[in-house]
Amino acid sequence: MTDKPADLPPVDLPPTAASLPIAMIRAREKLMLPIREMLQASGLTEQQWRILRVLEEYGAQDATQLAERSSLLMPSQTRIVQNLSEKGLVTRQTNPADRRRQVVTITAKGRQILVDNAEEARAIAAQVREALGEDKVRQLLALLDDIVRM
């Protein structure tokens, strides 16, 4: 137990159990645990996995757009893409329309990692859907989308 200095006003915050940001972090960690375990065998981090997934879904794209779609800060995305490039999982080329920008593309080797892990990733997602139910999953996705658009 900590001592509370008498000369400071009380901290009037909701309990952490009622904090939306903390609850979202706890939920994220619970959801990511089996995904992290899956990725260990491939030698990938969850951020690298996200980048490969986004590139597979949207195709070659500008690094700025990739960072946004991958929910990564640009400096982190740059470092992660460099690492993926060194592993031969993505390529980076100068954008011919704007030589200051780079276009990132997934390679066949990068796609193979997605193919190799797709069945397990689908099984993990199915476990979540089974535990929560399809309606709750749809509602949760809609609510999270609302938060993103705030």
Side-chain angles (χ1 to χ4, degrees):
M1 190 158 174
T2 61
D3 293 325
K4 296 181 182 180
D7 59 339
L8 293 175
V11 178
D12 189 23
L13 293 172
T16 57
S19 167
L20 188 55
I22 292 173
M24 291 174 69
I25 290 168
R26 286 181 182 137
R28 178 187 187 280
E29 289 306 307
K30 181 78 171 179
L31 289 171
M32 288 307 299
L33 185 62
I35 295 169
R36 287 186 192 118
E37 291 171 357
M38 173 190 77
L39 294 175
Q40 280 180 338
S42 299
L44 291 181
T45 66
E46 63 188 82
Q47 295 86 357
Q48 291 170 332
W49 174 255
R50 269 197 325 254
I51 286 176
L52 293 178
R53 296 243 0 245
V54 167
L55 289 171
E56 173 63 17
E57 183 175 345
Y58 293 97
Q61 57 200 282
D62 175 89
T64 304
Q65 196 172 43
L66 177 59
E68 183 179 312
R69 286 178 173 158
S70 301
S71 299
L72 292 165
L73 297 175
M74 193 62 185
S76 296
Q77 181 265 9
T78 300
R79 184 183 81 261
I80 294 164
V81 166
Q82 172 65 34
N83 186 278
L84 290 171
S85 177
E86 289 168 2
K87 291 180 177 185
L89 304 178
V90 302
T91 60
R92 296 177 298 166
Q93 296 178 326
T94 302
N95 184 337
D98 183 349
R99 299 194 55 78
R100 297 169 296 174
R101 296 185 177 268
Q102 287 191 334
V103 175
V104 183
T105 308
I106 192 169
T107 64
K109 186 176 175 182
R111 285 196 78 244
Q112 187 62 54
I113 287 178
L114 295 176
V115 168
D116 292 346
N117 288 283
E119 184 177 339
E120 189 172 353
R122 283 190 300 271
I124 292 168
Q127 288 172 351
V128 172
R129 286 185 176 327
E130 185 177 319
L132 294 178
E134 200 64 43
D135 287 342
K136 283 186 179 179
V137 170
R138 272 196 297 274
Q139 289 174 330
L140 181 57
L141 287 170
L143 289 169
L144 292 171
D145 192 46
D146 289 346
I147 290 170
V148 169
R149 289 182 287 153
M150 283 186 354

